[in-house]
Amino acid sequence: MNAPFHVGQVRAPAQAVQPTRARVPAALVAAERSYLTPLDSVSLPAWASLAANSIEPNACYLPSWALPVARNARGRSDALALTAFDCTGPNRLTGLMPVRWAGRALSLPVPLLVSWNAYAPFSVPLLARDCAVDAAGALLEAAKAAGAHGLLLQNIATGGPAYAAILSALERRGLTPILMCGFQRAGLDASKDADAVLRQALSAKKLKELRRQRHRLEDSGAVSFDVASSPEQIGPALEAFLALEAEGWKGERGTALARHPGDAAFIREAAPALAASGQFEIVSLTRNDETLASGLILRDAGRAFFFKIAMDESEARNSPGVQLTLELTRHLCADPAIAFADSTADGEHPMIDHIWRERIEIADVFVPLAPRDPRAAAIRGLVAARTRAIACIKAIRRLKEKLP
């Protein structure tokens, strides 16, 4: 029988967590060793090297983004990291998956590790491309050695190479993942011609209407599309974004970055740091030195992530947010360094889904860490009940929004 699990283990702060070394079956991952350790204890050079050579990019798990989130943002503290190292080389970091115990992440006091949300709905782990399956296996072993009976992968792209590596590692261990929920998210194939993309996505009538709205915006002055990419440019552009977002509906709902000191502190730290390495930019539509719409873009290894957008809601009838997205589409398609863009939006988004027509399969996946484990089955049942409850609450909110 397994040793009893104590709630205190779930709620222990990250500072109190000692690195836990996984006892890895030699036949499976003899060349790997792995740990569960506080996220902020991971070697920065090793982490940066892994991110640069990962089989699938995830800008949200770059150290210059993830660490400011963990230090400052609401509800993101106590972040841990499952880590894998290659023992055959110079102690190379080959896998990293930021996680939290379910007691902190889901308010469920159970022995479950949950992939960490770094303020963006994308939790693909970093796996070295030359040994991705072994690295994924070592991360599973680290979770098991830490006392977890399950691993919940939230907002993971199930069509990408990182998830394929996880599936291979699970198959080696006779384990079967369970899909808890999923949706399709809008993406952009930036290797295509932008005008062709827009003509294919939008009808001639809609394009004509958008041109008319652009002309209306220009009635009060010339409208320009601006890109801030250097640390010096990022500062004022970010402040303009924060002010614009706070003035709109996100400010009213309390989800604007500037509404919470910790959230504002994280983005003010992360944005210039990433810009210094060419991994962050702010795109804006401006008129007469006023910002009509603005968007925050992360960049990593050929992929862009459309993290946030804000617009002047007094100009809503002229669709400044859509106008910005059209310009961003042209900007990304013209950039040879970007092959694909992830909208990071919810499924069936009313704006971006109609412009970016590629689709990314995103899901929450439950991974049992041992075959036929009754505790894992019970934990999965609790997670499923929580997922259904949240879906019901969201459906009720949508219904209320539609009522007069």
Side-chain angles (χ1 to χ4, degrees), residues 315-327:
E315 291 280 2
R317 68 190 185 96
N318 295 322
S319 304
V322 177
Q323 299 293 337
L324 178 70
T325 303
L326 298 181
E327 294 289 357

Side-chain angles (χ1 to χ4, degrees), residues 255-383:
T255 60
L257 288 165
R259 288 290 185 236
H260 301 274
D263 294 355
F266 121 68
I267 196 65
R268 286 178 175 134
E269 180 182 347
L274 286 169
S277 57
Q279 294 175 302
F280 192 88
E281 58 189 19
I282 300 177
V283 295
S284 304
L285 275 187
T286 59
R287 182 186 64 198
N288 300 330
D289 296 325
E290 294 183 355
T291 303
L292 298 171
S294 182
L296 308 183
I297 315 297
L298 288 84
R299 301 163 60 97
D300 183 34
R303 184 167 296 192
F305 297 84
F306 194 177
F307 170 57
K308 263 183 173 285
I309 188 172
M311 69 283 299
D312 181 350
E313 294 177 9
S314 69
E315 291 280 2
R317 68 190 185 96
N318 295 322
S319 304
V322 177
Q323 299 293 337
L324 178 70
T325 303
L326 298 181
E327 294 289 357
L328 175 62
T329 302
R330 298 183 182 103
H331 170 62
L332 295 175
C333 288
D335 188 341
I338 297 298
F340 192 84
D342 184 334
S343 69
T344 75
D346 293 336
E348 300 181 357
H349 192 275
M351 186 271 282
I352 196 72
D353 269 35
H354 299 289
I355 301 174
W356 291 5
R357 295 291 186 149
E358 302 296 331
R359 293 293 178 261
I360 309 165
E361 297 288 340
I362 301 292
D364 289 0
V365 178
F366 180 86
V367 176
L369 296 175
R372 298 176 298 280
D373 180 1
R375 295 192 76 182
I379 292 168
R380 177 169 60 87
L382 286 174
V383 173

Side-chain angles (χ1 to χ4, degrees), residues 7-218:
V7 175
Q9 291 175 261
V10 171
R11 298 188 180 277
Q15 292 83 349
V17 177
Q18 297 298 317
T20 303
R21 182 168 180 173
R23 294 180 293 276
V24 184
L28 291 175
V29 285
E32 300 284 329
R33 60 182 175 83
S34 51
Y35 301 94
L36 176 66
T37 189
L39 183 65
D40 59 9
S41 72
V42 178
S43 163
L44 290 181
W47 187 349
S49 177
L50 172 60
N53 294 282
S54 180
I55 194 171
E56 185 171 353
N58 184 352
C60 307
Y61 283 171
L62 292 169
S64 295
W65 178 271
L67 290 175
V69 171
R71 281 192 292 264
N72 300 294
R74 289 172 300 143
R76 264 75 177 188
S77 61
D78 297 334
L80 307 171
L82 296 170
T83 55
F85 294 85
D86 182 358
C87 298
T88 63
N91 209 26
R92 180 173 62 109
L93 182 67
T94 58
L96 184 143
M97 181 189 294
V99 294
R100 299 172 83 200
W101 285 108
R104 301 291 288 181
L106 309 177
S107 297
L108 293 177
V110 293
L112 171 72
L113 284 169
V114 182
S115 59
W116 181 62
N117 182 318
Y119 215 105
F122 194 66
S123 301
V124 170
L126 303 181
L127 304 172
R129 66 168 58 96
D130 62 337
C131 57
V133 176
D134 283 349
L139 297 181
L140 297 174
E141 298 296 341
K144 184 177 179 182
H149 285 254
L151 181 62
L152 181 62
L153 306 176
Q154 291 189 315
N155 291 305
I156 190 166
T158 56
Y163 187 68
I166 294 171
L167 290 181
S168 295
L170 289 170
E171 185 178 7
R172 288 183 182 183
R173 290 160 175 76
L175 300 173
T176 303
I178 297 100
L179 179 71
M180 305 302 291
C181 59
F183 66 95
Q184 290 187 327
R185 186 154 74 202
L188 169 69
D189 182 350
S191 67
K192 297 180 178 179
D193 175 74
D195 289 336
V197 168
L198 295 175
R199 285 195 301 270
Q200 186 176 7
L202 302 168
S203 68
K205 181 179 179 180
K206 182 61 177 179
L207 288 170
K208 183 178 179 179
E209 170 65 12
L210 289 170
R211 287 193 295 269
R212 186 177 64 83
Q213 290 175 333
R214 176 64 178 249
H215 292 324
R216 281 211 305 255
L217 285 174
E218 293 170 339

